[in-house]
Amino acid sequence: MEFHSCQQRLASVLLLCFWMLFIRAHGSRKLYITYLGDRKHAHTDDVVASHHDTLSSVFGSMTIPINSPCVVCLMHLISPELPEVISVQRSRRYKTTTTRSWDFLGLNYQNPSELLRRSNYGEDIIIGVVDTGIWPESRSFNDKGYGPVPARWKGVCQVGEGWGSNNCSRKIIGARFYHAGVDEDDLKIDYLSPRDVNGHGTHTASTAAGSVVEAVSFHGLAAGTARGGAPRARIAVYKGGAGSGNSATVLAAIDDAIHDGVDVLSLSLGTLENSFGALHAVQKGITVVYAATNFGPAPQVVRNTAPWVITVAASKIDRSFPTVITLGDKRQIVGQSMYYYEGNNSSGSSFRLLAYGGLCTKDDLNGTDVKGRIVLCISIEISPLVLFPLALKTVLGAGASGLIFAQYTTDLLGITTACNGTACVLVDLESANLIASYISEASSPMAKIEAARTITGEGVLAPKVAAFSSRGPSVDYPDIIKPDIAAPGSNILAAMKDHYQLGTGTSMATPHVAGVVALLKALHPDWSPAAIKSAIVTTASVTDERGMPILAEGVPRKIADPFDYGGGNINPNRAADPGLIYDIDPSDYNKFFGCIIKTSVSCNATTLPGYHLNLPSIALPDLRNPTTVSRTVTNVGEVNAVYHAEIQSPPGVKMVVEPTVLVFDAANKVHTFKVSFSPLWKLQGDYTFGSLTWHNEKKSVRIPIAVRITIQDFYADVA
């Protein structure tokens, strides 16, 4: 057995205590995380000694090999005989889950908003990025014009393979890397240092806090000025692995980040648990932002749903890449792509023969001559994400010059970047039907594909919730609405090693929120993580600039609801001055979720349901009888203000608010109100949605509401 403690990793005072236990059982080497809560001793030597004593009481001796099965050892650890051990969990592997997006959100750099000016672009706020590392030579991390590293910073610049102390700067002020429990195969293809081998961490870091870089594009597409949401913020890098991390690396990163002094944590990771490390960070005043993951549009697949973090869905911005396909009969059909002309072999330079390939599998193309031709492939039952790379490989392997790929509408435009200059265009099924009809009718069907163009602005319907974005309700916390907010995450241009690449996913949406949090933290340094989260959720947009409801893409499209985007699409400028906030004392999370945080036998199972927590949302997953919840709002706007309640009751539910008017003045800055819910029917129903808005002539403070009427416990809505 090998033993590592957080106390052995840190030389000074510790905020979070856990063990990483490598236990060899049945010839395998497994990693377990043992959580002990906050430190209980003043000196680190005393902490380490107490941990050795505890382990010795279980294993007999720290030097005796452990031959019995892991599960036996671990069951002993969580037994009532060791009340100091809160939980033991097997370490899990985590997957990682710009030029236009910040303008779309109202944070134009050339014509800065009041939020950007008053926050000084997030200057000296420290954003901790837990990801795959960073590429320090990127222009997005230029530190020209930056002052000294903030004196409060306690972090380090950890050197390693391909990374020296000079790779940290006044922009990248700290860097660490972790590899406990990372697969040996992953380590072989990665740098044992903070350097980013696959670019994911570089992309997210530059999106959150990248310096201003003029005239960037992806082969001429999406051209503009690249920068982060808080371009003057500092970056601290915590690398958990190339393409993936695990419980041990992420917990170690969070632990170090707390000690180092970050203000914001951005984690574009797909975890399968709600980390107690994130709770510790929040209780130390750090706002933690997590990705909702990319399992949408299916319901109940949202991840990272702890109520103390901000969980981010992905939305689309007002930019598209139309690509014109001209058929031999002069008809033009417009698809979308990332196609750019490359050299003289471009299939877009002239008309080429056009062939129908069905699903474009080897069987479908058997006997069909596609050499030098553009091939039409149609995906209906098979996921485009699965079929497209197979079709691309098959048709190019057969000598085709281009690919027209038909699919139901999704947000997978980024998959065409794999074509590397070959003409690959996505079209919808209606367009595919027209092309297929032309192929069957023409004696020598031809087509020409033009290079993609970039279109931005009012002509593009936006925002929309991206199809891939994971949807609620949360299976871990059904009485909490998740995700919390949506932010741009589709076709985002940001740094990737020495160039700029378009990326898509909630991984891209997460640093957008982290960047906004940095601006709000700079503007309101006394706001708690809950206050910042409240400001973001209650001021979000649920309609576009035309006043039309935001749509959620999927199968089929629909009007978005709170399980798609929480409070709505993020509106940074409104969040800077929300009027009212729903604040939470960080210790309250323990009162409501003690049985989840502490898994020992002493857990108090009588804790209140989570919907009583003072969140900027209300979710009742099991409404049978009249239920009343209370919320408390704090005035952070004008001292003298009067707010009126506007109720949108979920269908099938009677909703009453008392009082309906809140009057604030210098002596009354905080008010508590009650919201009562009564089912209008007795049935086993599904979720319906509503909202509660406090408004006056200047402000509008809206929270989303989700209610499900039920008759029986643990009802599975799968019929």
Side-chain angles (χ1 to χ4, degrees):
M1 183 191 71
E2 302 168 48
F3 164 64
H4 304 276
S5 80
C6 57
Q7 285 71 23
Q8 291 175 316
R9 293 189 302 102
L10 298 178
S12 54
V13 177
L14 297 168
L15 303 174
L16 172 64
C17 297
F18 60 90
W19 296 332
M20 293 177 285
L21 294 169
F22 289 99
I23 301 179
R24 285 185 171 87
H26 305 295
S28 64
R29 186 173 184 264
K30 301 184 183 298
L31 177 62
Y32 287 83
I33 308 299
T34 304
Y35 172 46
L36 288 84
D38 281 324
R39 63 179 177 83
K40 298 177 177 63
H41 300 275
H43 196 276
T44 55
D45 291 343
D46 295 331
V47 180
V48 174
S50 72
H51 287 190
H52 279 258
D53 290 342
T54 302
L55 284 171
S56 296
S57 71
V58 176
F59 298 126
S61 171
M62 290 297 295
T63 60
I64 297 176
I66 304 301
N67 298 317
S68 52
C70 310
V71 66
V72 177
C73 304
L74 295 171
M75 289 303 292
H76 277 298
L77 279 174
I78 62 173
S79 71
E81 298 176 4
L82 293 175
E84 65 271 30
V85 175
I86 292 176
S87 69
V88 178
Q89 297 176 353
R90 172 77 181 274
S91 177
R92 299 180 182 182
R93 179 170 174 161
Y94 296 162
K95 295 183 178 180
T96 58
T97 62
T98 74
T99 54
R100 177 63 188 173
S101 56
W102 292 114
D103 291 349
F104 178 63
L105 294 178
L107 297 178
N108 186 288
Y109 191 81
Q110 281 72 29
N111 184 24
S113 67
E114 185 177 1
L115 171 58
L116 280 174
R117 292 195 307 270
R118 290 177 59 199
S119 67
N120 201 16
Y121 305 90
E123 185 162 22
D124 286 350
I125 296 298
I126 303 170
I127 301 178
V129 181
V130 182
D131 213 297
T132 64
I134 201 165
W135 198 262
E137 293 83 6
S138 170
R139 291 177 292 164
S140 288
F141 309 122
N142 189 319
D143 68 351
K144 183 179 180 180
Y146 281 75
V149 173
R152 58 191 171 87
W153 175 246
K154 300 178 183 178
V156 300
C157 185
Q158 189 176 359
V159 299
E161 183 183 0
W163 185 284
S165 58
N166 62 326
N167 288 123
C168 289
S169 64
R170 290 170 297 181
K171 181 67 174 180
I172 303 173
I173 64 173
R176 299 178 185 263
F177 67 98
Y178 312 86
H179 53 82
V182 176
D183 287 351
E184 294 293 334
D185 290 340
D186 287 340
L187 292 177
K188 291 177 182 177
I189 62 172
D190 196 5
Y191 295 97
L192 287 178
S193 76
R195 185 169 290 278
D196 184 11
V197 73
N198 72 5
H200 189 276
T202 301
H203 200 283
T204 57
S206 63
T207 300
S211 301
V212 177
V213 182
E214 303 285 350
V216 301
S217 70
F218 175 73
H219 299 283
L221 296 172
T225 300
R227 79 278 188 188
R232 298 290 296 178
R234 314 295 181 121
I235 297 171
V237 179
Y238 300 89
K239 175 181 173 179
S244 64
N246 59 51
S247 302
T249 60
V250 172
L251 282 170
I254 294 174
D255 188 22
D256 281 334
I258 294 171
H259 169 268
D260 291 345
V262 305
D263 301 298
V264 186
L265 271 172
S266 180
L267 300 98
S268 292
L269 303 170
T271 70
L272 296 176
E273 62 201 45
N274 292 294
S275 166
F276 49 78
L279 176 58
H280 277 262
V282 169
Q283 291 177 333
K284 300 298 179 182
I286 301 169
T287 300
V288 181
V289 187
Y290 260 114
T293 66
N294 307 323
F295 301 120
Q300 296 184 311
V301 293
V302 62
R303 295 292 186 266
N304 304 320
T305 57
W308 42 86
V309 306
I310 300 176
T311 307
V312 186
S315 60
K316 300 179 72 174
I317 61 174
D318 62 340
R319 180 171 63 193
S320 66
F321 302 94
T323 305
V324 176
I325 304 167
T326 303
L327 302 179
D329 60 5
K330 306 303 181 184
R331 281 185 296 173
Q332 291 190 329
I333 294 172
V334 181
Q336 287 204 62
S337 75
M338 291 285 136
Y339 172 49
Y340 53 92
Y341 289 160
E342 186 174 67
N344 297 322
N345 296 322
S346 167
S347 59
S349 60
S350 61
F351 279 95
R352 300 293 177 99
L353 289 171
L354 183 61
Y356 179 74
L359 290 175
C360 289
T361 63
K362 288 185 178 180
D363 289 341
D364 283 350
L365 293 182
N366 186 31
T368 303
D369 181 13
V370 298
K371 188 173 183 179
R373 304 187 182 208
I374 298 171
V375 182
L376 173 65
C377 307
I378 299 180
S379 166
I380 298 178
E381 297 181 359
I382 302 176
S383 167
L385 192 61
V386 174
L387 185 59
F388 180 85
L390 296 177
L392 177 64
K393 181 179 180 180
T394 301
V395 298
L396 293 185
S401 63
L403 169 64
I404 300 173
F405 189 83
Q407 57 177 8
Y408 56 82
T409 302
T410 65
D411 306 284
L412 301 175
L413 186 59
I415 61 179
T416 65
T417 60
C419 299
N420 295 321
T422 298
C424 299
V425 187
L426 304 183
V427 298
D428 63 17
L429 297 175
E430 181 181 3
S431 298
N433 187 54
L434 293 174
I435 298 171
S437 296
Y438 164 70
I439 292 173
S440 65
E441 295 169 0
S443 58
S444 183
M446 307 282 287
K448 180 173 69 172
I449 300 175
E450 304 290 347
R453 296 177 295 127
T454 303
I455 301 295
T456 60
E458 296 181 356
V460 182
L461 182 62
K464 293 187 287 186
V465 178
F468 60 80
S469 185
S470 291
R471 315 297 168 92
S474 165
V475 296
D476 293 322
Y477 302 99
D479 45 6
I480 304 295
I481 288 181
K482 287 288 180 172
D484 296 295
I485 196 71
S490 182
N491 301 318
I492 304 301
L493 188 69
M496 184 81 72
K497 294 188 177 180
D498 290 321
H499 59 283
Y500 289 82
Q501 182 78 36
L502 287 154
T504 291
T506 55
S507 285
M508 282 68 246
T510 301
H512 278 89
V513 175
V516 173
V517 169
L519 298 178
L520 297 178
K521 188 72 175 178
L523 186 61
H524 304 288
D526 58 329
W527 278 11
S528 69
I532 291 174
K533 177 179 176 178
S534 172
I536 288 173
V537 172
T538 61
T539 59
S541 302
V542 294
T543 59
D544 62 19
E545 293 181 353
R546 302 164 188 80
M548 298 292 290
I550 292 175
L551 299 178
E553 293 201 338
V555 188
R557 291 190 187 98
K558 65 182 182 68
I559 293 175
D561 61 51
F563 290 153
D564 300 314
Y565 60 11
N569 203 61
I570 194 168
N571 189 323
N573 293 312
R574 286 190 60 203
D577 187 16
L580 306 177
I581 57 172
Y582 293 75
D583 208 354
I584 298 173
D585 183 329
S587 64
D588 284 352
Y589 296 116
N590 293 336
K591 300 175 186 176
F592 286 91
F593 302 99
C595 288
I596 296 173
I597 300 168
K598 184 172 178 64
T599 57
S600 72
V601 293
S602 61
C603 170
N604 178 11
T606 63
T607 52
L608 289 171
Y611 52 72
H612 288 295
L613 187 63
N614 198 47
L615 290 163
S617 62
I618 300 174
L620 299 176
D622 187 23
L623 182 66
R624 305 182 197 183
N625 303 303
T627 302
T628 299
V629 301
S630 64
R631 289 291 188 271
T632 299
V633 287
T634 303
N635 182 21
V636 294
E638 295 182 358
V639 174
N640 297 305
V642 179
Y643 284 85
H644 298 265
E646 179 182 327
I647 300 171
Q648 182 183 0
S649 298
V653 177
K654 180 182 179 181
M655 177 175 157
V656 177
V657 176
E658 294 181 356
T660 58
V661 179
L662 302 178
V663 180
F664 297 91
D665 54 33
N668 299 283
K669 297 181 180 180
V670 180
H671 279 299
T672 298
F673 60 90
K674 294 182 178 181
V675 188
S676 299
F677 299 89
S678 301
L680 296 179
W681 311 304
K682 185 176 182 180
L683 80 167
Q684 200 72 41
D686 203 348
Y687 282 97
T688 58
F689 305 100
S691 64
L692 168 61
T693 304
W694 291 103
H695 66 90
N696 58 24
E697 63 277 4
K698 296 181 180 180
K699 303 292 180 187
S700 179
V701 186
R702 180 185 181 275
I703 64 171
I705 294 171
V707 179
R708 179 171 63 176
I709 301 173
T710 62
I711 299 173
Q712 293 179 309
D713 286 326
F714 305 112
Y715 173 71
D717 183 21
V718 295

